[in-house]
C-alpha cells in the first residue's frame, strides 16, 4: 500500500519547498516477541518471561518508552536491568533528529543481544501507520503514533496466544497529556520516574534518573539568577542582521567568572570576545556554541589576571559572588580592554558526560550534592543521589540535564563510577576520557582487517619493491621502544659519494584505505603515550610486530634514499617501497657508545659514524637558515617495575644520536613534502608552523629587558641568534629559561591540505615546506603522506578521498584536534605521576625560578623536576597582604618584596591532598622571607629516604 | 496545432450539419463535449488538475514559490505560465515542434489570467516590496483533440481552486530585520478565491454559424475563431481572434453574445463539481492517469 508523506520546508535561500515522499506500508512486519505465534518471524528479540521486578507491574511486560524518555533517560535505559524494550521507529527517528549522541547510544543498546531491545517499524506497519490530521502538531501526531503502536502491541499479544499469562506492554512517558490520553484508550502507562522507583530490586537506578522539570522547584529558590536565553529564531535573525555573533564558548581555566567566545572568521581573521561575570556568561558551558551580543564600548573590560576558583559549599545567594565579580573589575588601562560581550542564547549545547568527584553535602540526609568536574572549565553540577557516601572519594561521571535560569548550578545525574580517586587506573581513565582519547579495545571489525598470522613476505609483495635486505640498516630509538618506525643506513658509493637511506615502516601496505581498520586509525589520529602506558593508534600486531622495523627480521619499508657528497649536499633523491632487514635495534645510548668507541669498526658503527657526521653538517645548515632550538623541560619517571609507581624522576637528556636521527627524519619529511606537493598541488597533506604574531613575544621581550638582554623577534633567524647570545653572568640557567619562555610564544604547528591554504612555511624548522612521513605507526598523517607518495611513484593506486581536498581538510582538523588532546593527556599524565611522586616524598624544599608574574600569584619553575607551580599570595582564609601589580614590569610587590620574572626563589613542594577534588602540587614560599606570606623551611627529613630509593 | 486532413465532401457534410444545428457527434452548436475534471492529481505540486474534454487532455500543475514583487506593483504577487506541448499529445510536437504553439498559448494565458480582476493578486503578497508568492502555472498537453484553450482554462481554474499555499508569517526583530516563518502544520495553508477566474470559450466560425468546443474536423472547416474569456457573471475580460480568415462586426457581436451565454453556463456546474470533490476530502477515490 502506498501513501505519500508531504511536508513543506524552507530552503536555505529563503524559498519554500514542498517535499513529497512515497511511503509504503507493509503487512509483514513482525512483533519480535518470543511469545507470538502469529508472526512469521525467523528470530525473536523479546523474551516470553520478560520479568523486571517491579512493584507496579508484577506480570511479565515489555516497555515502550516515548521519545523524551529515551532522550533524557538514556543512562537508565543503558543499565543492564532494563530489558525487553520496544523502540518504536517513530521514537528512533525523533531521537536521531534531536540528538546524534543519544541516537548512537540507543543504536548500541539495540545491537546488544543481552538487552533484548527490539525496533518495531511502526511507521511502515499497515495497522500502526497514522497520518497527521488537520490541526495536529507534529509532536501530537508522533505521540498518537506511539499510542497506536502500543495499543496494537497489547492487542496483538493478547490475541496471539491465550496461555501467555498476561504478557503486557507498558508505555513509559513523562508527558502528562500523553499519559492521560493513553489511559483513556485503555493502555498501561506509567511515568518513567514512577516506574523506575517501583523497581524494588534495583534502587540504585534512581540515581541515574535525569532530573526533569517538575521537581526543579524544590531544588532552587524561585529567584531568577540568569537572563532568559533567546529563542533560536531570534538568534538566527540577530546573527543575520549582525547584532549577535556566533562562536564557541571557551571558559577560562583559571577564572570561573571569565570566558572567551571564539569567532571563526574567514581564513585567519578569527576573533575573540571576552565574557565576564556570571550574568553575562549566562549558563553557557565550555565548548557550547553560543550567540553573543557585544556590550557598548564603555563597558568593555580587560581580561583579569586573577586566579579564581569556584569553591566552597553550594551557594544560592550570590552575595559572595558579587564581591568576587567586583574584584574582577579593576580599572584597566584603556589599551588592555578587549571586546566584551554577553551570552544571549545557546545555539548548540556540547555537553558530554564529565568526570569528576562528588562534594558530599554537609547535611547528612540530603540526596542533592554538588559535583566538581575534573576539568576546571566546567561548572559544578548538582546531582541527586542516595549513594553519596559510597561515591565520595570515587571518580564518577555525570551528565548535565539542564540549567534552569533560577539555578546557580546546572542539574545533572550520575552516570557511572570510574573507581577510587587517586588510584592509578582510575586517574588514567579519567584523563583519557577528559581528553577525548579513544582508548577502547579495537573492535572485531577492526581486527578482522589485520593480516593473518603467521605472516611472511610473498612474491606478490615483492613486485613493486626493491630488495634492500643486503644493506646494513639499523634503528636507533629510546630504550624500551617496541614500535620502531624508522631505520637508517649510510654507505660509501664507488664514486666516493655517500648513500643515505631512511627506511620507514610501510604501514600503508597493511592499512588499506576505507576499511574499518583505516577508519579507526583515522579517528584515533595518533598514538598517545602516557607515563607507563601507550594507547595505540593501530592494533598491537601491527604496531609492535609486523610494522615495527625490528632487527634481524624481514620487514616492508618505504625508503627515502639520497646520494650526498661529504658536505651533505643532496645530489639525488629517490623514493621506493622496499624490503629491509635491520641488522640492529639500538638505543640512543648504545649508538652513542658505538660511535665513540674507537675500537669498533664494524659496518653498523661505520654507518652510524657516517650518519653522525652528515647530521652535524645538516644541523649546522639548518640553524644557519634560522631554525629555532627551543627548550621545554621533559621529565622521565623511573618506574618501580612491580608497582609501576614512580620512584624517581629526571629531566630527559639529549644525546648526539638523538639529534642524528632527528636530522635525517627532518630531511626525509622535507623531501617527501616537496615530492608530494609537486605531484599533488591540491591535495598534499602538509604541516605548517605559522610565525607567531609579534604581540605573542611581549612577555618574552619584557622578561629579557628586565635582565637588560635584547631579543629580536623580526625573523626566526634573528630570534635564534639573539637567543644564542642571551647570557647573564652568574646565571647559567637564564638561557634555558628564556628558551622556555620563547617556546610558550610559539603557535601550534598544524596539518593542512595544500589545496586549502597558501602559507606553507614551517617557522620553527625554517623550512618552506614540511610534512610528517616518518612515524606512520603512531601518526595517521604519515599514513596519508605514505599513500600520496606511493601514488606519486606509481607503487600504489589512488582512491577518491585521497584526492578530495575538502575531505582531507576535514581529516586534518581531526588530526590536529587529536594531536592537541594527546599532548594535553600526556601532560596531564605527567602531572599526575608527579603528584604520585611527591606523595611518597612528603614536603620538599627546592630552588626555583619565577616564570610568570600574575596579579595575585607567581608561577615558579623547579628545574630539577621540570615542575611548574603557582604560589598564591591571597587566600580566603588568610589576611591578604598588600599586593601591588605592575603590568609593565611585569612585577608583583608583596609587602616589601618585589617579584620579577627570573627571580630565584625557594619553595616547599608538597602534595595538597586536603582537597580530594583536585589533588595538586602546592608550593609555598620559603625564601625570600616575607612575614605572613612565606612558610618556615621544613625539616630535611624526607631527604633521608633518598639512599634507599637510589638502589 | 494538430490538424487533420478533411476532404471536400466531409467539409460540406460538416458545414451543412452545423447550419442545421446538428454536429457530426450529435451535439448542438453551443454544446460542449463530455468533460472530466480531477483535482489534486500531482502530489508534489501545490495545486493541480487534470481535465479531459472529448479526447483532449491537459494537466495543470501550480507551484507556489516565494519571489520578489514587480517594482510597479509592490503589493501584489503574480503568475507565470508555461505550456509544455508534449510529444505525447501529437507527433508534430516532437523536438521543438510544439514551441510556437506553447508560446502562443502561454501569451494568451497571461492576458486572460494574470490581472487583478481574475485572481486576487494582493492576497499573494507576503511583504510589500520584498516578498510575494509567485504561482508557476505549468500546463502540460497530454492529448490534442481540438479546443485546447477551453480545456486549459477550465483546468487552470480547477487547479487554482485546488491550490494550497503554505501559510507564512513575517517576524520582525528589534532591528527591523524580517524573517519568513513557515507554519509546521502541513494543513495550515491559504486558499485562493477563484470566483472571478474566467473561463475561455472558443467560438469557431464555421460557414455562417459558429460553434463552441470545435473538434479537429470542425476546426479544419473554420477560417477564423474568436477566443473570449468570460467570468461567472458573464463579463468578457478578453477577446482574441485567431485563424487566418476575417470576421465581420456583426458576427463578432453574435459570437461574443454566444460566448457570454456559454461561459456563464459553464462556470456554475464547474464550481459545483469542484466543491463536491473538495468535500470528499481524503475519501476521494483517486483516478489518476490510469483510470
Amino acid at each position: 500500500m502506498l501513501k505519500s508523506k508531504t511536508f513543506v520546508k524552507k530552503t536555505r535561500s529563503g524559498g519554500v519547498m514542498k517535499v513529497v515522499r512515497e511511503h509504503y506500508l507493509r503487512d509483514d512486519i513482525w512483533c519480535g516477541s518470543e511469545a507470538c505465534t502469529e508472526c512469521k518471524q525467523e528470530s525473536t528479540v523479546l523474551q516470553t518471561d520478560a520479568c523486571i521486578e517491579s512493584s507496579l507491574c508484577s506480570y511479565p511486560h515489555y516497555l515502550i518508552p516515548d521519545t523524551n524518555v529515551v532522550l533524557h533517560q538514556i543512562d537508565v535505559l543503558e543499565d543492564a536491568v532494563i530489558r525487553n524494550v520496544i523502540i518504536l521507529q517513530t521514537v528512533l527517528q525523533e531521537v536521531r533528529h534531536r540528538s546524534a549522541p543519544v541516537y548512537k547510544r540507543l543504536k548500541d543498546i539495540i545491537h546488544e543481544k543481552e538487552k533484548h531491545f527490539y525496533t518495531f517499524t511502526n511507521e511502515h506497519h499497515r495497522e500502526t501507520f497514522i497520518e497527521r490530521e488537520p490541526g495536529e502538531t507534529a509532536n501530537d501526531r508522533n505521540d498518537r503514533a506511539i499510542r497506536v503502536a502500543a495499543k496494537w502491541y497489547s492487542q496483538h499479544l493478547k490475541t496471539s496466544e491465550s496461555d501467555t499469562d498476561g504478557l503486557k506492554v507498558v508505555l513509559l512517558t513523562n508527558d502528562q497529556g500523553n499519559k492521560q490520553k493513553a489511559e483513556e484508550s485503555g493502555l498501561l502507562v506509567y511515568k518513567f520516574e514512577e516506574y523506575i522507583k517501583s523497581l524494588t530490586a534495583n534502587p540504585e537506578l534512581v540515581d541515574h534518573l535525569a532530573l526533569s522539570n517538575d521537581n526543579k522547584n524544590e531544588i532552587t529558590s524561585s529567584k531568577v539568577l540568569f537572563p532568559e536565553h533567546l529563542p533560536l529564531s531570534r538568534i538566527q535573525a540577530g546573527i543575520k542582521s549582525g547584532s549577535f555573533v556566533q562562536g564557541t564558548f571557551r571558559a577560562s581555566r583559571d577564572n570561573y567568572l571569565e570566558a572567551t567566545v571564539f569567532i571563526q572568521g574567514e581564513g585567519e581573521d578569527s576573533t575573540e570576545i571576552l565574557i565576564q561575570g556570571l550574568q553575562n556568561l549566562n549558563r553557557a558551558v565550555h565548548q557550547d556554541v553560543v550567540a553573543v551580543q557585544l556590550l557598548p564600548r564603555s563597558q568593555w573590560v580587560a581580561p583579569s589576571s586573577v586566579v579564581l576558583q569556584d569553591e566552597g559549599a553550594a551557594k544560592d545567594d550570590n552575595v559572595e559572588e558579587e564581591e568576587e565579580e567586583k574584584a574582577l573589575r579593576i580599572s584597566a588601562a584603556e589599551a588592555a580592554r578587549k571586546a566584551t560581550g554577553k551570552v544571549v542564547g545557546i545555539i548548540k549545547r556540547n555537553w558530554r558526560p564529565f568526570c569528576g568527584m562528588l562534594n558530599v553535602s554537609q547535611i547528612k540526609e540530603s540526596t542533592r550534592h554538588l559535583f566538581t568536574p575534573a576539568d576546571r572549565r566546567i561548572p559544578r553540577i548538582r546531582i541527586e543521589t542516595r549513594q553519596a557516601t559510597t561515591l565520595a572519594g570515587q571518580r564518577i561521571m555525570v551528565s548535565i540535564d539542564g540549567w534552569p535560569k533560577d539555578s546557580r548550578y546546572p542539574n545533572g545525574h550520575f552516570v557511572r563510577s570510574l573507581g577510587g580517586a587517586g588510584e592509578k587506573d582510575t586517574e588514567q581513565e579519567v584523563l583519557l576520557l577528559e581528553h577525548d582519547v579513544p582508548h577502547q579495545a579495537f573492535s572485531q571489525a577492526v581486527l578482522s582487517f589485520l593480516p593473518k598470522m603467521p605472516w611472511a613476505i610473498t612474491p606478490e609483495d615483492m613486485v613493486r619493491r626493491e630488495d634492500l635486505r643486503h644493506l646494513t640498516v639499523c634503528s636507533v630509538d629510546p630504550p624500551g621502544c617496541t614500535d620502531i618506525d624508522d631505520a637508517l643506513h649510510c654507505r660509501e658509493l664507488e664514486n666516493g659519494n655517500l648513500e643515505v637511506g631512511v627506511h620507514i615502516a610501510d604501514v600503508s601496505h597493511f592499512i588499506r584505505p576505507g576499511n574499518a581498520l583505516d577508519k579507526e586509525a583515522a579517528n584515533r589520529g595518533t598514538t598517545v603515550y602516557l607515563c607507563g602506558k601507550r594507547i595505540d593508534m593501530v592494533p598491537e600486531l601491527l604496531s609492535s610486530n609486523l610494522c615495527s622495523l625490528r632487527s634481524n627480521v624481514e620487514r616492508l619499508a618505504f625508503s627515502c634514499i639520497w646520494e650526498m657528497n661529504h658536505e651533505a649536499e643532496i645530489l639525488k633523491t629517490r623514493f621506493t617501497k622496499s624490503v629491509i632487514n635491520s641488522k640492529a635495534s639500538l638505543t640512543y645510548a648504545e649508538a652513542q657508545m658505538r660511535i665513540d668507541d674507537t675500537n669498533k669498526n664494524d659496518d653498523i658503527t661505520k654507518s652510524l659514524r657516517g650518519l653522525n657526521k652528515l647530521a652535524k653538517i645538516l644541523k649546522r645548515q639548518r640553524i644557519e637558515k634560522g631554525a629555532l632550538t627551543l627548550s621545554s623541560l621533559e621529565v622521565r619517571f623511573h618506574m618501580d617495575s612491580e608497582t609501576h609507581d614512580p620512584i624517581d624522576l629526571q629531566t630527559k637528556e639529549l644525546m648526539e644520536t638523538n639529534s642524528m636521527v632527528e636530522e635525517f627524519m627532518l630531511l626525509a619529511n622535507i623531501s617527501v613534502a616537496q615530492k608530494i606537493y609537486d605531484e599533488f598541488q591540491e591535495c598534499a597533506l602538509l604541516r605548517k608552523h605559522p610565525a607567531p604574531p609579534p604581540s605573542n613575544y611581549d612577555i618574552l621581550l619584557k622578561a629579557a629587558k628586565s635582565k637588560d638582554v635584547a631579543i629580536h623577534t623580526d625573523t626566526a633567524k634573528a630570534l635564534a641568534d639573539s637567543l644564542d647570545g642571551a647570557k647573564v653572568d652568574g646565571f647559567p640557567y637564564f638561557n634555558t629559561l628564556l628558551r622556555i619562555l620563547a617556546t610558550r610564544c610559539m603557535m601550534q604547528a598544524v596539518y593542512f591540505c595544500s589545496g586549502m591554504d597558501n602559507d606553507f612555511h614551517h617557522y620553527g624548522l625554517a623550512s618552506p615546506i614540511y610534512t610528517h612521513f616518518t612515524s606512520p605507526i603512531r601518526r595517521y598523517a604519515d599514513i596519508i603522506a605514505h599513500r600520496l607518495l606511493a601514488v606519486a611513484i606509481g607503487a600504489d593506486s589512488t582512491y577518491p578521498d585521497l584526492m578530495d581536498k575538502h575531505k582531507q581538510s576535514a581529516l586534518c582538523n581531526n588530526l590536529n584536534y587529536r594531536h592537541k588532546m594527546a599532548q594535553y593527556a600526556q601532560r596531564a599524565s605527567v602531572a599526575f605521576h608527579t603528584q604520585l611522586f611527591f606523595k611518597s616524598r612528603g614536603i620538599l624544599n627546592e630552588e626555583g625560578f619565577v616564570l610568570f608574574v600574575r596579579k595575585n600569584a607567581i608561577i615558579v619553575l623547579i628545574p630539577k623536576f621540570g615542575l611548574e607551580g603557582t604560589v598564591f599570595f591571597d587566600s580566603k582564609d588568610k589576611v591578604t597582604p598588600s599586593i601591588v601589580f605592575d603590568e609593565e614590569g611585569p612585577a608583583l610587590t608583596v609587602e616589601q618584596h618585589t617579584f620579577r620574572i627570573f627571580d630565584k626563589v625557594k619553595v616547599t613542594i608538597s602534595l595538597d591532598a586536603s582537597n580530594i577534588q583536585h589533588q595538586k602540587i602546592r608550593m609555598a614560599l620559603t625564601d625570600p622571607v616575607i612575614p605572613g606570606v612565606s612558610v618556615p623551611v621544613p625539616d630535611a627529613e624526607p631527604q633521608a629516604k633518598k639512599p634507599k630509593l637510589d638502589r | 496545432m494538430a490538424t487533420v486532413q478533411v476532404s471536400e465532401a466531409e467539409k460540406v457534410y460538416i458545414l451543412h450539419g452545423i447550419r442545421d444545428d446538428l454536429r457530426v457527434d450529435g451535439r448542438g452548436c453551443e454544446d460542449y463535449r463530455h468533460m472530466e475534471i480531477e483535482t489534486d492529481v500531482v502530489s508534489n505540486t501545490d495545486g493541480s488538475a487534470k481535465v479531459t474534454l472529448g479526447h483532449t487532455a491537459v494537466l495543470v500543475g501550480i507551484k507556489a514559490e516565494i519571489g520578489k514583487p514587480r517594482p510597479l506593483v509592490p503589493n501584489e504577487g503574480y503568475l507565470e505560465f508555461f505550456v509544455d506541448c508534449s510529444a505525447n499529445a501529437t507527433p508534430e510536437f516532437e523536438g521543438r515542434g510544439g514551441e510556437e504553439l506553447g508560446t502562443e498559448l502561454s501569451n494568451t494565458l497571461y492576458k486572460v489570467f494574470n490581472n487583478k480582476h481574475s485572481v486576487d493578486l494582493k492576497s499573494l503578497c507576503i511583504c510589500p516590496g520584498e516578498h510575494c508568492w509567485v504561482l508557476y502555472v505549468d500546463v502540460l498537453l497530454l492529448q490534442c483533440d481540438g479546443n485546447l484553450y477551453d480545456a486549459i482554462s477550465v483546468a487552470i481554474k480547477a487547479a487554482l481552486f485546488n491550490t494550497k499555499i503554505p501559510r507564512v508569517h513575517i517576524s520582525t526583530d528589534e532591528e527591523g530585520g524580517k524573517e519568513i516563518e513557515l507554519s509546521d502544520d502541513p494543513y495550515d495553508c491559504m486558499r485562493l478565491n477563484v470566483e472571478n477566474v474566467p473561463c475561455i470559450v472558443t467560438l469557431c466560425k464555421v460557414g455562417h454559424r459558429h460553434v463552441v468546443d470545435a473538434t479537429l474536423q470542425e476546426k479544419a472547416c473554420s477560417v477564423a475563431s474568436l477566443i473570449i474569456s468570460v467570468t461567472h457573471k458573464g463579463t468578457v475580460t478578453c477577446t482574441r481572434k485567431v485563424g487566418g480568415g476575417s470576421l465581420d462586426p456583426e458576427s463578432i457581436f453574435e459570437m461574443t453574445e454566444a460566448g457570454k451565454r456559454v461561459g456563464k453556463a459553464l462556470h456554475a456546474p464547474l464550481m459545483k463539481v469542484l466543491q463536491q470533490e473538495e468535500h470528499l476530502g481524503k475519501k476521494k477515490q483517486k483516478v489518476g492517469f490510469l483510470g
Side-chain angles (χ1 to χ4, degrees), chain A residues 8-10 16, chain B residues 133 166-169 180-184:
Chain A
V8 201
K9 75 170 188 188
K10 225 167 91 175
V16 167
Chain B
W133 286 108
R167 207 176 286 280
V168 292
H169 63 269
I180 293 176
E181 275 173 36
L182 200 60
S183 159
D184 69 337

Side-chain angles (χ1 to χ4, degrees), chain A residues 4 6 8-10 14-16 18 20 131-136 138 233-234 237-238 240-241 243, chain B residues 43-46 63-66 133 166 168 173-175 177 179-182 184-187 282:
Chain A
S4 66
T6 307
V8 201
K9 75 170 188 188
K10 225 167 91 175
V16 167
K18 186 177 173 186
V20 181
E131 267 180 287
R132 185 166 165 181
E133 274 166 10
E136 200 175 34
S233 56
R234 284 193 50 200
K240 222 177 212 172
S241 68
S243 55
Chain B
S43 59
N44 51 6
T45 59
D46 293 292
K63 287 282 264 182
E65 277 177 30
I66 292 177
W133 286 108
V168 292
D173 54 22
E174 52 262 55
E175 282 81 28
E179 185 78 17
I180 293 176
E181 275 173 36
L182 200 60
D184 69 337
D185 183 357
Y187 292 98
K282 283 211 168 6

Side-chain angles (χ1 to χ4, degrees), chain A residues 690-705:
Chain A
S695 62
N696 274 25
Y697 287 122
D698 285 355
I699 188 81
L700 178 71
L701 295 178
K702 275 184 194 170
K705 215 173 129 201

Side-chain angles (χ1 to χ4, degrees), chain A residues 848-851 858-862 867-871 905 907 923:
Chain A
F849 299 96
V850 177
L851 202 56
I858 52 171
I859 291 165
V860 178
L861 176 83
I862 315 290
L867 175 74
E868 246 176 71
T870 313
V871 177
V905 292
V907 291
M923 289 191 181

Side-chain angles (χ1 to χ4, degrees), chain A residues 808-875:
Chain A
Q808 215 177 84
S809 191
L811 176 69
C812 288
N813 287 341
N814 181 47
L815 294 181
N816 289 330
Y817 170 73
R818 293 290 186 206
H819 271 264
K820 197 172 70 190
M821 287 332 245
Q823 254 174 25
Y824 291 164
Q826 234 155 307
R827 274 184 225 162
S829 175
V830 169
F832 172 66
H833 279 82
T834 314
Q835 287 171 13
L836 279 186
F837 174 71
F838 282 105
K839 197 174 177 180
S840 60
R841 283 308 181 86
I843 301 172
L844 293 180
N845 194 16
E846 286 298 338
E847 202 168 81
F849 299 96
V850 177
L851 202 56
F852 295 104
V853 178
R854 296 264 186 266
K855 239 176 215 175
N856 59 346
I858 52 171
I859 291 165
V860 178
L861 176 83
I862 315 290
K864 186 172 166 194
F865 302 125
L867 175 74
E868 246 176 71
T870 313
V871 177
F872 289 95
F873 292 117
D874 57 346
S875 50

Side-chain angles (χ1 to χ4, degrees), chain A residues 241-344:
Chain A
S241 68
S243 55
F244 302 152
V245 280
Q246 174 177 345
T248 317
F249 185 87
R250 292 179 178 172
S252 159
R253 220 179 267 273
D254 296 330
N255 186 337
Y256 77 100
L257 290 175
E258 200 171 274
T260 52
V261 170
F262 179 79
I263 289 118
Q264 183 78 48
E266 293 276 310
E268 298 291 290
D269 49 286
S270 302
T271 46
E272 277 189 343
I273 293 178
L274 186 71
I275 316 274
Q276 220 175 52
L278 219 48
Q279 293 277 314
N280 291 342
L281 296 174
N282 198 1
R283 292 170 282 159
V285 177
H286 186 62
Q287 287 295 330
D288 284 350
V289 180
V290 295
V292 175
Q293 185 176 26
L294 273 179
L295 294 172
R297 203 169 261 272
S298 58
Q299 293 176 32
W300 286 14
V301 291
S304 70
S305 21
V306 184
V307 178
L308 264 189
Q309 277 162 33
D310 190 7
E311 272 166 4
K315 41 192 172 187
D316 278 327
D317 51 323
N318 45 359
V319 185
E320 219 173 319
E321 264 141 49
E322 271 161 27
E323 268 166 35
E324 284 179 355
E325 279 184 43
K326 234 179 261 164
L328 287 175
R329 293 194 200 100
I330 306 158
S331 64
E334 193 66 34
R337 293 189 180 190
K338 282 195 173 169
T340 309
K342 62 175 182 190
V343 174
V344 292

